[in-house]
Amino acid sequence: DRMRILQLLNLITMCMGFVLCVGCFFAGQHAYGQAQFAYWAACLGGFIVLVSFFGWRGARQRSKKWLAVYFWVLFVLLIGEVTAAVVFVFKQDDVVQYIELHVQG
């Protein structure tokens, strides 16, 4: 059944997001120079848990409302990824310079 597969995949993704969130949060407490990166990764893990919950809940209850929220969140993420890729392609030199400036110091 496709709903069971979707439910299982979202449950696995939710668990991985939770591990990322908790692991990066505790790693950020012990990392001196990279704590900000660890906290951003922990926030990303929390966001993954939230998105996976929408998909899991929709598949579990066979709810069109929850699956619609899941679809729209994934759609917005896709639009954001495409936008980031286009910006990177057209502003590659500026992006690389910004990353080098902020990552090294």
Side-chain angles (χ1 to χ4, degrees):
D1 185 33
R2 288 183 288 185
M3 285 297 186
R4 289 232 186 249
I5 293 171
L6 181 63
Q7 184 179 352
L8 180 63
L9 288 175
N10 280 298
L11 187 62
I12 291 169
T13 306
M14 197 179 338
C15 290
M16 291 184 338
F18 182 74
V19 168
L20 177 67
C21 182
V22 172
C24 287
F25 179 76
F26 286 120
Q29 292 180 343
H30 300 292
Y32 297 106
Q34 303 296 327
Q36 184 177 7
F37 173 76
Y39 291 136
W40 278 107
C43 289
L44 177 66
F47 186 71
I48 290 170
V49 169
L50 183 67
V51 172
S52 298
F53 175 76
F54 292 148
W56 175 78
R57 180 81 181 238
R60 175 99 172 139
Q61 293 184 341
R62 298 182 185 267
S63 169
K64 290 182 181 180
K65 181 174 41 174
W66 283 101
L67 288 174
V69 170
Y70 179 64
F71 168 77
W72 283 107
V73 170
L74 289 181
F75 182 72
V76 168
L77 286 173
L78 179 67
I79 296 298
E81 288 177 18
V82 169
T83 303
V86 169
V87 167
F88 185 75
V89 167
F90 288 110
K91 300 281 189 175
Q92 186 172 7
D93 295 332
D94 295 335
V95 171
V96 170
Q97 185 180 15
Y98 178 83
I99 290 172
E100 288 174 353
L101 178 68
H102 287 83
V103 170
Q104 293 178 356

